Amino acid sequence: MDNRELAAFLRGRRESLLPAEVGLPGGSRRRTPGLRREEVALLAGVSVNYYERLEQARAPRPSPQVADALAGALRLSAVEREHLARLAGHLAAPPEEPVPDEVRILLDRLGEPAYALDAKHDVVAWNELAARLITDFSRAPDRNALRLAMRTGVCSSPDGDFARQAASDLRRAAVRHPDDPEPAVLARAMAAVDPAFADGWRSHDVRSRPVLRKRIHHPELGAVDVDCHLLAVPGHDLRIVVCTAEPGSPSAAELARLAGRQPE
């Protein structure tokens, strides 16, 4: 268990939770954002001293029952509950697995640009339309989507959601694969050049955004705005990213031309 990671995650979730969200009065004398430590301890049924030591990285590992109680007190999502369980040492690192055949088949059958990412944002499978829109992954010396974006500027996100989601993904990857230094190395590189990523990394927010807006800078098509739909692959540490554009938009017309279809 990484005590400092666990402490920072609990503190971040506590500070982001409003008293009204757990049925407590807000009051006007709160000096810090979110819930107080004693309120979380009360909701979880643990002693205030123990919870304070958890946030100070000085407490022993919480049992599965205590971790579950803390998850309930902090109103954690399913993704956040899994992250907490891994921080507490209750789940083993998932094994490295080849890309399932059904994922490759799905990518080939989709009529939109799509690719598969592992936990570290390495592109491990893709269809022809994704290669035409983003890059020829088969010839790319580095297929990591984040390093590719940093190095070439091929993808951007005006609202910063892409960077914040990347921070969330790498934070989870660092915990899911504690013996792999790559997520932390990549996170430091991203934080040095992207303020939105740095903010997301500091917050320890591991929630998932199901759809992200990206701008693809294509050498021939110009700027193409796409919605990236993130689909988890059950039983695997993979996600499928499907790129679509708003119907009737100039970007949708460009995607149609890329695929050899008539724009709608």
Side-chain angles (χ1 to χ4, degrees):
M1 179 184 72
D2 188 326
N3 287 344
R4 290 175 298 179
E5 280 284 327
L6 175 61
F9 176 69
L10 291 174
R11 185 166 56 251
R13 294 309 92 213
R14 174 178 61 80
E15 291 178 349
S16 70
L17 194 61
L18 297 176
E21 294 180 84
V22 297
L24 295 174
S28 58
R29 297 184 178 180
R30 291 180 179 268
R31 292 175 295 177
T32 57
L35 299 182
R36 299 187 178 101
R37 291 188 179 93
E38 56 266 28
E39 290 171 335
V40 176
L42 175 65
L43 292 168
V46 299
S47 73
V48 175
N49 177 263
Y50 175 69
Y51 184 76
E52 288 177 343
R53 287 188 294 128
L54 275 177
E55 283 203 9
Q56 294 165 355
R58 296 190 300 111
R61 172 187 303 190
S63 67
Q65 293 79 13
V66 170
D68 189 60
L70 290 171
L74 294 169
R75 302 298 193 268
L76 300 188
S77 66
V79 170
E80 291 170 320
R81 282 176 177 266
E82 179 189 330
H83 188 68
L84 175 58
R86 291 191 185 280
L87 285 172
H90 303 148
L91 294 174
E96 296 287 342
E97 296 180 313
V99 179
D101 289 341
E102 54 267 29
V103 169
R104 297 186 185 277
I105 291 171
L106 175 61
L107 292 176
D108 289 340
R109 290 180 179 176
L110 286 171
E112 304 289 350
Y115 53 94
L117 290 174
D118 68 8
K120 296 177 289 187
H121 273 247
D122 287 337
V123 178
V124 294
W126 58 92
N127 63 14
E128 179 61 27
L129 288 178
R132 292 183 199 172
L133 178 64
I134 302 171
T135 190
D136 185 354
F137 294 107
S138 65
R139 296 185 179 183
D142 185 348
R143 295 177 189 166
N144 184 273
L146 300 181
R147 280 195 294 267
L148 180 66
M150 283 193 295
R151 187 175 65 252
T152 66
V154 67
C155 299
S156 63
S157 177
D159 58 11
D161 278 354
F162 169 65
R164 282 185 282 272
Q165 183 60 55
S168 169
D169 294 340
L170 288 183
R171 180 68 74 179
R172 293 181 63 210
V175 173
R176 291 169 70 85
H177 304 277
D179 297 328
D180 188 345
E182 178 63 13
V185 170
L186 186 53
R188 285 194 294 271
M190 286 285 292
V193 299
D194 194 319
F197 181 96
D199 180 64
W201 183 257
R202 283 192 300 267
S203 74
H204 287 257
D205 184 356
V206 296
R207 290 172 292 183
S208 294
R209 298 163 178 82
V211 182
L212 296 170
R213 174 64 60 92
K214 280 187 187 179
R215 175 162 291 169
I216 308 295
H217 302 280
H218 193 275
E220 297 175 5
L221 304 178
V224 182
D225 292 322
V226 296
D227 291 323
C228 297
H229 305 261
L230 308 179
L231 311 175
V233 180
H236 296 272
D237 208 12
L238 298 172
R239 284 168 303 160
I240 295 173
V241 182
V242 182
C243 302
T244 66
E246 184 177 349
S249 67
S251 292
E254 297 294 354
L255 285 187
R257 277 191 281 270
L258 191 72
R261 304 189 304 261
Q262 286 293 326
E264 298 179 1

